[in-house]
Amino acid sequence: MDKKSKIIEIYKKKINLLKKHNKLYFNNDSPIVSDSEYDTLKKEIINLEKQNNFLKKLNLHKTIIGSPPSNKFKKVKHLKPMLSLSNAFDKKDMSDFVGKINNFLNIDNQNIEFSSEPKIDGISATLIYENGVLIKGLSRGDGTTGEDILENLKTINTIPKKIKDNNVPSLCEIRCEIYIGKKGFNNIKGEFANPRNAAGGSLRQKDPKETSKIPLEYFAYGFGVIKPMIFKTQIEFLTKIKSWGFSINPLSKIVKNLNEIESQHHHIDSVRSSLDYDIDGLVYKVNDLKLQSRLGNTSNSPRWAIAYKFSAEKAVTKIKDIVIQVGRTGAITPVAKVEPVTVGGVVVSNATLHNEDEINRKDIRIGDTVQIQRAGDVIPQVVQVDLSKRNQNSKKYIFPDKCLCGGLTQKERNKSTKKEDAVRRCTKGYDCDYIAKEKLKHIVSKDAFNIDGLGKKVIDQFWDLKIIREPSDIFTINYNKVENLEGWGKLSISNLKKAINKSKNIELDKFIFSVGIRHIGQENAKILAGFFQSIDKFSKLFKESNRKIVLRHLIDLDGIGEIQINSINSFFSSNKNKEIVEQLIQKLKINNYKARNKKGKFSNKTIMFTGGFEKMSRSEAKSLVENNGGKVLGTISKKLDILVTGNSKPTKKKIEQAKQLSIEIVRENEWYKILDI
Ligand code: IVH
């Protein structure tokens, strides 16, 4: 081989290596080399090009864009959390959404105004302006803490660096979605899987010069903190910031009822493919900001907004096999293994069949030709069977009555409806390997321990290699073993160690949620943490005699009912569960519960409601108390401070009990006075 060919060969090898590392960074989120190793490789390529002009003619460097995102950005807490949105998929979901809003506000108005805006499929960021000057720019991060990516955001020319208006609020936080247009993406494709990945990677470049090479664009859609608040509606906000120079999606519009929501949906769906950016639905937001603030948020998403996704993409394929999967609650879910088919740009080879009843109802069999659909980020599902294509010899699918672990399964009976549950469950808890593995995935997930680098695939891998078997094993990982695994390098191991260390410091409510007691979701975990206050008190649940007493008190808590109490009881009745929780506690620093908002009218007060109110629903009354530092109880006891009686059908017995215990009684009208409404 002559010298020139040799150089070309070396050069090509290095380029391919760089591409491989980029792919690991951008698409798999699992880098295996450190930043400096990566930089060295890049420098070598540039030097080779400099010394050998003929290499440039190969045009290979064009296939490489940017460098891997850095993890060296400063972490900054958001002034206000960046929440996510719940999803709607059809008219009924939207009608439920409007219904819930009416219920919460205790009104009957089917004509509430909504702003309808395209949901851009990009990367969210927030821009903070002090006296009109852009001083901070953060990525969303986990919603609570973001990363300082100001310099990179500044490379987007259309983002105002200064708002030119004499009346701009002294503090103004503008939230936006950063994206790469379809045309822009075509020019830079390279190793990115899609425009969204490219935008994300570009925003996290160490060197803003790299970011500036990529054609980023944005739409501003909302606000965080604005002081003083000068807006009354969402549309007024959008119109104003447009005049300030922000880029606003031109397809935003006011709609007034379900019919208008539906027709706007069809309209935008029909023009969707002609837009230069990807959208996956429309966001509907209550237009009136006062109503927005009355509605408030649940743990993760506002009650005043929803993402109405475009209808599912469908495709036809064949079922090769039906297997079962076991979830962390023991639920047995049948899954169809189908011949791979592209649905809406994504290759699908698994589709859920939901449960035994669903298989029976649709008489789904192995070998059947079926239609499947995929909507947004939801698991693809089997919609219907094409019976005309069924093989004569096919047999009805018999649902297994055992779990994959060999253990017995059961269908529970719903106490109130007396009906059998559709879902079959394995009853072995942590003793079932399949459940145990899923529980681990829950523990490391975002809303629980939030350990970056320990995703589902890694848990599967570590489980199979017996590196992690029980939750407490997370904190005693044998890194020598990990080091030898493919895909793991010094950098990723050091990142994992850091993430695990960080997760040791955990709030009590998160810990309770993480443990994975059935029927104890994030909201209930908070209620329980508010009751127990410390891990020591929570640990009283371990001993049976104590547990009985504690559980009797839990019924006082609004939101905790018989189902939750029975579930806590059965969880702690298992020695295995107790052992697992105890071992985990030993590895952690669990912080005492701090009510998020202790200050307020109802600080340290307990309140109970009876009867209905005219101006608000029970849910709104409850959230008002909680947002003002108080706690809502569900029964009358000496611990209760105030009983608030609504004019509509208060329970006489409760009022009597309160009088006997000399508890303060507040009537509906006085209640409004206390609240200033
Ligand atoms: S409003 C409280 N409006 O979707 C959340 N979000 O799932 C308010 N997004 O993180 C979000 N276009 O990144 C809103 N017109 C739009 C949007 C939009 C895209 C993204 C945003 C947000 C995510 C919520």
Side-chain angles (χ1 to χ4, degrees), residues 188-457:
I188 58 149
K189 263 184 187 161
E191 56 273 17
F192 301 106
N194 54 44
R196 197 171 180 279
N197 273 9
S202 158
L203 274 178
R204 301 191 74 253
Q205 294 291 306
K206 253 188 313 191
D207 181 358
K209 267 196 226 120
E210 296 282 351
T211 308
S212 69
K213 284 185 200 160
I214 296 174
L216 290 172
E217 297 176 66
Y218 81 101
F219 283 120
Y221 62 71
F223 53 84
V225 177
I226 299 218
K227 255 188 193 162
M229 187 54 173
I230 53 166
F231 306 112
K232 291 201 165 56
T233 66
Q234 165 73 5
I235 290 290
E236 187 199 330
F237 162 76
L238 291 177
T239 315
K240 187 69 170 187
I241 64 170
K242 184 172 178 215
S243 79
W244 286 346
F246 288 90
S247 129
I248 297 302
N249 192 291
L251 301 169
S252 305
K253 186 184 169 186
I254 289 272
V255 289
K256 293 200 180 71
N257 54 46
L258 279 175
N259 285 339
E260 289 185 16
I261 289 177
E262 216 43 32
S263 63
Q264 178 68 356
H265 203 74
H266 289 306
H267 167 58
I268 303 291
D269 200 2
S270 68
V271 299
R272 183 179 171 194
S273 59
S274 66
L275 303 175
D276 185 46
Y277 43 87
D278 283 327
I279 62 176
D280 55 357
L282 293 174
V283 184
Y284 286 89
K285 305 175 186 170
V286 170
N287 190 32
D288 183 336
L289 300 186
K290 258 207 188 122
L291 291 184
Q292 278 192 11
S293 100
R294 275 183 66 187
L295 286 159
N297 314 317
T298 61
S299 304
N300 292 322
S301 53
R303 291 192 189 87
W304 45 265
I306 200 159
Y308 186 2
K309 296 285 180 84
F310 290 127
S311 66
E313 315 253 6
K314 295 191 170 71
V316 172
T317 181
K318 206 168 167 183
I319 299 186
K320 291 195 295 190
D321 196 6
I322 296 178
V323 298
I324 59 173
Q325 273 176 4
V326 186
R328 74 175 167 99
T329 61
I332 310 279
T333 309
V335 174
K337 295 271 166 197
V338 298
E339 275 168 9
V341 58
T342 309
V343 197
V346 173
V347 179
V348 169
S349 41
N350 293 320
T352 180
L353 297 165
H354 299 287
N355 53 50
E356 185 176 358
D357 291 0
E358 177 91 354
I359 296 189
N360 288 340
R361 204 160 46 80
K362 294 181 179 162
D363 186 18
I364 298 168
R365 304 179 183 193
I366 296 171
D368 274 351
T369 299
V370 290
Q371 188 185 50
I372 60 172
Q373 68 174 26
R374 190 186 72 92
D377 35 18
V378 180
I379 307 167
Q381 45 186 223
V382 172
V383 192
Q384 59 181 14
V385 179
D386 183 347
L387 288 176
S388 71
K389 300 224 169 85
R390 174 169 283 169
N391 186 329
Q392 297 269 307
N393 306 324
S394 85
K395 289 203 187 72
K396 218 173 153 49
Y397 177 74
I398 312 279
F399 202 86
D401 56 1
K402 291 233 171 73
C403 174
L404 293 175
C405 73
L408 287 181
T409 58
Q410 232 178 33
K411 282 188 175 180
E412 290 167 12
R413 204 166 269 282
N414 185 306
K415 276 209 175 121
S416 47
T417 62
K418 301 259 174 340
K419 273 198 192 139
E420 205 176 50
D421 206 359
V423 179
R424 216 171 243 294
R425 286 173 203 279
C426 171
T427 52
K428 282 175 62 181
Y430 271 108
D431 285 324
C432 162
D433 276 2
Y434 298 86
I435 297 182
K437 192 153 92 171
E438 293 310 308
K439 280 185 182 279
L440 273 172
K441 290 179 189 170
H442 165 71
I443 284 188
V444 300
S445 69
K446 237 186 176 165
D447 292 327
F449 277 61
N450 188 18
I451 305 180
D452 268 352
L454 263 192
K456 289 185 180 170
K457 282 202 184 117

Side-chain angles (χ1 to χ4, degrees), residues 8 103 106 108 119 160 287 324 355 518 605 614 625 637 639:
I8 291 181
N103 281 342
N106 204 19
D108 183 14
K119 183 166 190 296
N287 190 32
I324 59 173
N355 53 50
R518 233 181 118 203
K605 286 256 176 347
E614 198 189 317
V625 169
S637 70
K639 276 180 265 161

Side-chain angles (χ1 to χ4, degrees), residues 83-85 117-120 124 140 177 221 283 285 302 304:
L83 303 173
S84 46
L85 291 167
E117 306 161 19
K119 183 166 190 296
I120 318 296
S124 51
R140 179 176 186 278
E177 194 80 355
Y221 62 71
V283 184
K285 305 175 186 170
W304 45 265

Side-chain angles (χ1 to χ4, degrees), residues 32-43:
I32 55 167
V33 288
S34 67
D35 284 6
S36 70
E37 282 168 274
Y38 179 91
D39 288 343
T40 313
L41 177 62
K42 209 166 169 189
K43 253 183 228 143

Side-chain angles (χ1 to χ4, degrees), residues 582-650:
E582 272 173 330
Q583 281 186 0
L584 197 50
I585 291 174
Q586 280 170 23
K587 300 273 183 334
L588 304 170
K589 179 182 175 304
I590 302 172
N591 299 313
N592 286 355
Y593 182 73
K594 290 188 271 323
R596 303 278 185 269
N597 192 351
K598 269 274 179 202
K599 283 173 277 161
K601 285 187 182 122
F602 305 117
S603 284
N604 303 316
K605 286 256 176 347
T606 54
I607 288 159
M608 186 180 145
F609 300 107
T610 177
F613 302 115
E614 198 189 317
K615 289 196 194 166
M616 65 180 63
S617 65
R618 182 67 71 79
S619 322
E620 185 177 3
K622 185 174 175 231
S623 88
L624 275 168
V625 169
E626 285 166 353
N627 290 338
N628 283 290
K631 220 194 274 180
V632 178
L633 299 188
T635 54
I636 299 209
S637 70
K638 275 184 271 175
K639 276 180 265 161
L640 183 66
D641 295 315
I642 305 171
L643 176 71
V644 186
T645 63
N647 288 342
S648 165
K649 298 187 193 147

